[in-house]
Amino acid sequence: MSKHKAWIKMSSIVLSAFIGLSPLITTAEVYAASEPTVTMTGQEILTSGAVMKKYVWKSTRSNKEITTNGNVIEVDLTNPNVKLDVMTGTNDQFTKKQSVLGMATETKAVAGVNGDFYNTQAEGVPMGPEIENGRLMATPPYLPGFYSFAISKDNKPIVDLFTFQGSVTTKDGAKFALGGINKTYYWFEPGGEHSHVDAMFMYTNAWGQSDRSNDGVTVPTEVLVQKGIIQKIADNTTIDMIAPQDGYILRASGKAADFVRQHMKIGDPLKADYDILPQDSTKTYDTKNFKMMIGGHTILVDGGQPTDFSREVDSLCCYRSRTAIGYSQDEKTAYIITVDNSGDSKGLSMKELQQFMIKVGVWKGMNLDGGGSTQMVARPLGEFNPVLINKTETGIQRKVVNGVGVFSTAPQGDVKELFIQAPDFLFLNEQAPLNFKGYDEYYNPIESGSVTAQWSSDNGTFKDNVFTPTKLGIAKVTAASGKGSQSAEIPVVGRNDLAGLQIDATNIALSEGGSYKLPVIATTKSGKSREVPPQLIDWEVLGMKAEVKDGILTVNSLADAKQLQLIARYDGYSTMLTLPIGKDSVWYDLDHNAVLTNSGSKPEESVAASVYIRESAAKNKYLELNYDFSKATGEKWAYANMDTGIQIEGQPQFIKMKVDGDESLNSLRTEIKDNSGKVYYVELAKNINWKGWKQVSADLSDLDLKFPIVVKSVYVYSESVGQDERATVGKIGIDDITFTYKGQLSVPSNNSVKLTVNKTAVTVNNKNMTLEQAPVIVSGNTLIPIRFVTDALGGTVRWDDKERKVTVIRGDKLIDLWIDNPDLLVNGKRITAEVAPKIMNDVTVVPLRILSENMGWKVTWDEKTKQITLQ
């Protein structure tokens, strides 16, 4: 069988995002769906000749309306200031995968999407061909129905089927066919023969590692060729180097290796001839002068109509994120497309993708890699770096083998637009660096330092670009540069503009000598939030020896401390955070406190797992859990089993541990068995999407645990759905399994106070006393003397004569009230009472209802006697 006709069939699990698993789509659902609509919701110019448009797809499935988001980058192929090209891995090399954002940042692309499919279990090279900036990087595979997208010498787009033809000729005139350039192993169909058996492949310096597709099936013989001369022959072994820039390395096995032995010698010349050809021999393309080319999968649209799939797809199986590329009928516009796993939908089926492409203008187009690989990035106007545009399926940006990039080729032009970058609002007297960005007539961002601006304002001062607002209200700031200028109106907010103030540090576990950042977040009445600059906050610390400086809390001593009360004030607006003194207890630490551990897997014997005690370079011991899911099917588990004879003391609130991640995207869980025998499966990390050590935790307080508990295991888990997105082999490190026990806040006194409307007689714990001012009813609201009641119930009252303000502190509650002002603050939240506090007979009286509701007081009312009981 000639290799030109020996098609391959790849297993679905090794093609990135090729075959989706869930959710299932029935044929009835597909044909019962109503005619979908595609609505453009916005567009933005990216550069001269390229625009990004955002769409919403809306359709009906099983009588339910669904929506999903689509992003389309349109590139004007007639515009000389823009071009399409391929982005490759890291440092322009295969086998060194990188996210689309990483590739676009590295290559300075204006925008980009992920590209070709690839074998996720191999080295990380594209399935199809690749031409980057006119340079042939990889050749087409011998596959039926795998389409490619290309740009010709005269900037015409092409979507078609291509193949490869090549050979090497030795000094004695002998020839041997080349199987391809920079290709990984695969299997021919229908016989299932390995692609590299009896075959010769060429590898250039675009292949970024010295191991060239060695999966153990064949024994390589390698030949180093430089400047057309054979430099080295490694018989039945490899050459430990990457191919030189001015040469290549041939990998031969079987009959190809025999050919090397018979016809090649060190020092002999060697000629290599190869070409990319259309599979349809009636077509003629000048492939040697293609500007770019990238492989894909099935054709989707032809002649502006849905076309039959050229490869088997998951059209009736799954809704997934998708990536596609195509061009317009007049061949003047290229379309780069993503649709997201977002909104009400898990994405689109392949048939739905066809309809989406047609509705946005595609005349002929094909599928690129999708699912977890789908990523689109774009550079906002005036910015230098691209950002992720779409929502990825897994929540991370997968490293892929290549992508399609949009590049600006425009010169630097005159400034077209400036715009000021400033916060949504400013605080009084803060020092706020303001910036401006802009772009030129070609929509290139303005280089930093190439343009200077003069700043001015009617409500503050500038030092260079640092603005200090000096009064509340609207500050108008202006930046002027050359012929261009722009102004912005920025609110400067004070106490009366705020709806809330919060200390964002509730999960602090205090320790003596520890330092903790205390961000204070202000929220305006319009609903906008930002952190208050630390230097603008006045702090008060109650309950322990501690201090706050520049937003950092330093605990000097925990001696005799039961709780910490932190009061933060901005412009007289107060909030309070009360923290109990909690306790961390390390349960599993191999340096000090080891627990018997062994490995296990269930229920599948085909899962391999092992645990080892390792030591880091810093001499820290930790547990290593190794797993191999490659031979298992369905759900997969790999366990580090703990000694269940050891009970966890007390009633911990959190479990925490340090984990050395492997970026496998598998989840991390722990089995906890409570005293009733019930086992809880607690998720510590939904996706292990990091490398290096990181602390993970889980809140146990929401579980109905019967204490004491035991830890049965820590385990790596791969659910059956979407396993093609996750690694099958890996290892993680585990250390410092810690339980956190919640501290207890101090309980205010449980005194009982009885008052009667319009009477000064009062009892505290049945002891008779007399009030200076009796409770009264005003506009249907009962007002009570605040200082007497608060003192009696174990709180404190402060009076600010200048502001005519009363501050009440009791337990973990702080309330600020102003005389004759119905607005009050409860732990930083603004609340409006029906009746304002008043002064009667030199005594401050405040509305009972709103105070009791927010102080946690228990109130009993006797309608007959008009008696109020407070506890």
Side-chain angles (χ1 to χ4, degrees):
M1 181 184 296
S2 71
K3 288 195 175 78
H4 285 65
K5 297 181 180 179
W7 311 120
I8 75 165
K9 182 177 182 181
M10 299 296 295
S11 168
S12 63
I13 62 170
V14 299
L15 284 184
S16 165
F18 181 20
I19 300 297
L21 298 177
S22 176
L24 296 180
I25 308 171
T26 67
T27 303
E29 282 183 298
V30 172
Y31 293 107
S34 63
E35 177 66 20
T37 61
V38 176
T39 305
M40 188 173 72
T41 58
Q43 62 178 318
E44 180 179 345
I45 295 172
L46 299 178
T47 190
S48 177
V51 61
M52 181 178 66
K53 297 181 178 180
K54 292 185 173 292
Y55 293 91
V56 171
W57 161 283
K58 184 179 293 185
S59 66
T60 302
R61 299 179 189 149
S62 299
N63 298 319
K64 180 181 178 182
E65 185 178 273
I66 64 96
T67 62
T68 195
N69 296 328
N71 306 290
V72 180
I73 296 174
E74 296 183 8
V75 180
D76 181 359
L77 298 176
T78 68
N79 190 318
N81 296 319
V82 67
K83 73 170 186 176
L84 284 178
D85 209 342
V86 181
M87 308 178 293
T88 306
T90 302
N91 296 326
D92 206 27
Q93 287 187 311
F94 299 135
T95 75
K96 298 180 178 179
K97 295 181 292 185
Q98 188 172 194
S99 68
V100 175
L101 182 59
M103 286 189 283
T105 302
E106 180 184 312
T107 61
K108 301 188 184 306
V110 173
V113 295
N114 59 294
D116 202 353
F117 290 77
Y118 59 98
N119 182 338
T120 60
Q121 306 304 313
E123 300 90 344
V125 296
M127 292 288 299
E130 179 178 318
I131 295 175
E132 178 189 316
N133 195 28
R135 173 192 174 199
L136 178 62
M137 301 276 284
T139 52
Y142 297 123
L143 297 171
F146 272 67
Y147 275 75
S148 297
F149 176 91
I151 300 292
S152 70
K153 180 181 179 180
D154 56 357
N155 242 36
K156 294 293 184 181
I158 297 163
V159 173
D160 213 336
L161 295 166
F162 292 87
T163 187
F164 168 73
Q165 179 177 292
S167 64
V168 295
T169 304
T170 60
K171 182 180 180 181
D172 61 4
K175 286 188 176 183
F176 198 93
L178 284 173
I181 299 175
N182 293 327
K183 308 306 293 181
T184 191
Y185 56 86
Y186 52 87
W187 295 266
F188 296 116
E189 62 182 39
E193 298 89 353
H194 194 278
S195 61
H196 283 44
V197 171
D198 295 326
M200 182 181 295
F201 284 79
M202 176 186 290
Y203 296 86
T204 70
N205 68 322
W207 187 277
Q209 64 184 39
S210 58
D211 184 288
R212 282 164 281 275
S213 201
N214 295 313
D215 67 342
V217 174
T218 61
V219 177
T221 287
E222 294 194 333
V223 181
L224 170 63
V225 181
Q226 199 165 6
K227 295 181 179 179
I229 304 297
I230 298 173
Q231 303 291 331
K232 185 176 182 179
I233 298 175
D235 196 4
N236 286 334
T237 188
T238 60
I239 298 173
D240 189 18
M241 62 178 288
I242 297 173
Q245 188 171 358
D246 57 353
Y248 54 87
I249 291 175
L250 296 174
R251 185 197 187 280
S253 67
K255 293 178 181 179
D258 292 339
F259 179 86
V260 171
R261 299 182 189 103
Q262 295 169 14
H263 299 283
M264 295 187 188
K265 294 180 181 178
I266 294 175
D268 281 356
L270 187 69
K271 183 180 179 182
D273 291 301
Y274 47 84
D275 203 0
I276 292 177
L277 304 171
Q279 288 189 19
D280 184 347
S281 60
T282 65
K283 296 180 179 180
T284 58
Y285 296 118
D286 183 11
T287 59
K288 289 187 182 297
N289 290 302
F290 276 0
K291 292 183 176 181
M292 64 82 70
M293 186 179 201
I294 194 162
H297 190 248
T298 180
I299 190 170
L300 294 173
V301 176
D302 196 1
Q305 297 295 322
T307 187
D308 291 338
F309 301 128
S310 55
R311 292 286 295 181
E312 181 183 352
V313 299
D314 57 342
S315 62
L316 298 180
C317 166
C318 309
Y319 301 115
R320 300 293 302 271
S321 293
R322 307 286 180 183
T323 310
I325 191 168
Y327 60 85
S328 60
Q329 183 175 3
D330 60 10
E331 299 182 339
K332 292 181 179 180
T333 303
Y335 299 91
I336 302 172
I337 298 168
T338 63
V339 290
D340 290 349
N341 180 334
S342 62
D344 304 314
S345 171
K346 294 296 184 183
L348 299 183
S349 70
M350 290 289 277
K351 286 186 176 293
E352 289 175 328
L353 178 61
Q354 289 176 308
Q355 297 176 65
F356 181 89
M357 293 171 70
I358 292 167
K359 287 179 180 293
V360 300
V362 174
W363 178 255
K364 190 172 186 179
M366 68 180 199
N367 186 36
L368 293 174
D369 193 6
S373 294
T374 293
Q375 300 161 65
M376 177 179 281
V377 302
R379 186 185 70 186
L381 274 178
E383 300 287 344
F384 286 87
N385 296 315
V387 295
L388 183 68
I389 296 300
N390 72 308
K391 176 186 176 183
T392 62
E393 271 196 358
T394 61
I396 70 166
Q397 298 177 54
R398 172 190 272 179
K399 294 181 180 179
V400 295
V401 297
N402 61 9
V404 180
V406 180
F407 295 86
S408 172
T409 58
Q412 192 73 38
D414 294 333
V415 173
K416 181 179 179 69
E417 191 76 45
L418 291 177
F419 45 92
I420 292 173
Q421 291 183 307
D424 290 330
F425 59 90
L426 297 173
F427 298 100
L428 187 66
N429 295 319
E430 79 165 296
Q431 295 181 350
L434 303 184
N435 296 296
F436 70 90
K437 294 202 173 183
Y439 51 89
D440 65 17
E441 58 190 307
Y442 301 109
Y443 302 97
N444 295 314
I446 295 172
E447 292 284 349
S448 177
S450 64
V451 175
T452 57
Q454 292 75 47
W455 293 89
S456 60
S457 176
D458 62 351
N459 185 10
T461 61
F462 271 100
K463 183 177 182 181
D464 297 325
N465 69 317
V466 178
F467 177 54
T468 303
T470 53
K471 59 182 179 180
L472 300 175
I474 300 297
K476 182 178 180 181
V477 297
T478 301
S481 179
K483 298 179 180 179
S485 68
Q486 191 195 36
S487 296
E489 293 186 344
I490 312 171
V492 182
V493 303
R495 180 176 74 197
N496 294 333
D497 304 297
L498 299 184
L501 195 68
Q502 180 182 8
I503 305 171
D504 188 19
T506 55
N507 290 326
I508 288 178
L510 298 172
S511 61
E512 197 164 288
S515 295
Y516 311 91
K517 185 177 180 181
L518 298 177
V520 179
I521 309 300
T523 301
T524 65
K525 291 179 178 178
S526 62
K528 296 179 179 179
S529 299
R530 62 180 289 242
E531 183 178 348
V532 184
Q535 63 271 20
L536 299 183
I537 296 292
D538 293 324
W539 288 96
E540 184 177 356
V541 179
L542 303 174
M544 69 171 56
K545 294 180 180 179
E547 60 182 354
V548 182
K549 184 177 181 181
D550 294 329
I552 303 297
L553 168 69
T554 301
V555 177
N556 298 321
S557 174
L558 291 176
D560 301 322
K562 295 182 179 179
Q563 64 184 23
L564 170 65
Q565 290 176 313
L566 295 165
I567 300 174
R569 298 184 180 89
Y570 163 68
D571 191 33
Y573 196 111
S574 302
T575 187
M576 186 173 77
L577 174 67
T578 303
L579 296 171
I581 309 301
K583 177 186 176 184
D584 273 357
S585 177
V586 178
W587 174 71
Y588 187 94
D589 174 6
L590 285 173
D591 292 307
H592 305 98
N593 184 19
V595 177
L596 287 176
T597 314
N598 56 57
S599 62
S601 59
K602 76 173 188 180
E604 305 176 50
E605 296 179 356
S606 53
V607 171
S610 59
V611 294
Y612 302 95
I613 294 176
R614 302 297 192 195
E615 188 172 83
S616 68
K619 304 298 182 184
N620 175 64
K621 292 180 181 178
Y622 63 94
L623 185 72
E624 181 182 275
L625 170 59
N626 295 262
Y627 59 91
D628 184 345
F629 295 153
S630 59
K631 296 180 181 179
T633 58
E635 294 181 286
K636 303 165 187 177
W637 297 263
Y639 291 80
N641 293 316
M642 302 295 179
D643 184 353
T644 56
I646 302 177
Q647 293 183 333
I648 308 303
E649 296 180 353
Q651 299 183 9
Q653 182 184 16
F654 287 92
I655 180 173
K656 301 185 292 188
M657 67 183 69
K658 295 177 182 176
V659 177
D660 187 13
D662 60 0
E663 284 188 324
S664 65
L665 297 185
N666 295 306
S667 64
L668 180 67
R669 301 182 178 185
T670 181
E671 281 183 300
I672 292 180
K673 182 179 179 181
D674 75 0
N675 199 39
S676 71
K678 184 176 179 180
V679 176
Y680 293 83
Y681 303 95
V682 181
E683 187 173 81
L684 295 162
K686 184 177 180 61
N687 294 309
I688 304 176
N689 57 10
W690 70 91
K691 271 196 176 294
W693 288 96
K694 172 183 175 180
Q695 182 168 278
V696 297
S697 64
D699 189 348
L700 304 179
S701 60
D702 292 334
L703 306 178
D704 186 23
L705 294 172
K706 303 296 186 292
F707 296 96
I709 61 175
V710 297
V711 178
K712 289 188 64 180
S713 70
V714 177
Y715 65 101
V716 175
Y717 170 66
S718 178
E719 63 177 323
S720 58
V721 175
Q723 288 186 345
D724 60 324
E725 310 292 342
R726 300 187 288 273
T728 57
V729 179
K731 63 181 179 181
I732 63 169
I734 302 168
D735 199 10
D736 292 349
I737 300 178
T738 301
F739 288 94
T740 300
Y741 298 82
K742 187 175 182 178
Q744 298 296 319
L745 294 176
S746 299
V747 179
S749 68
N750 195 31
N751 291 344
S752 175
V753 180
K754 293 183 179 181
L755 311 97
T756 304
V757 173
N758 296 326
K759 292 185 177 181
T760 57
V762 61
T763 64
V764 178
N765 294 338
N766 296 318
K767 181 180 179 181
N768 294 325
M769 304 179 75
T770 302
L771 296 171
E772 295 181 28
Q773 170 62 46
V776 295
I777 295 179
V778 176
S779 299
N781 287 263
T782 303
L783 303 184
I784 62 171
I786 184 62
R787 181 178 295 277
F788 180 91
V789 172
T790 301
D791 288 345
L793 294 178
T796 60
V797 177
R798 299 175 180 179
W799 169 256
D800 185 325
D801 191 57
K802 182 179 179 181
E803 287 201 37
R804 291 167 57 82
K805 179 180 72 173
V806 177
T807 298
V808 180
I809 301 174
R810 182 176 185 265
D812 59 349
K813 300 291 193 301
L814 178 146
I815 299 183
D816 282 336
L817 310 98
W818 285 264
I819 303 301
D820 298 326
N821 186 341
D823 281 359
L824 61 150
L825 307 181
V826 180
N827 279 9
K829 182 180 179 181
R830 186 184 296 274
I831 295 174
T832 301
E834 294 180 13
V835 177
K838 300 180 180 298
I839 293 180
M840 296 180 174
N841 295 325
D842 292 328
V843 174
T844 301
V845 290
V846 300
L848 169 62
R849 179 186 302 169
I850 199 164
L851 198 65
S852 62
E853 288 175 351
N854 290 284
M855 293 297 284
W857 292 345
K858 181 180 178 181
V859 180
T860 303
W861 167 256
D862 188 325
E863 177 65 31
K864 183 177 181 180
T865 63
K866 306 297 183 184
Q867 188 178 74
I868 306 160
T869 303
L870 298 175
Q871 287 181 307

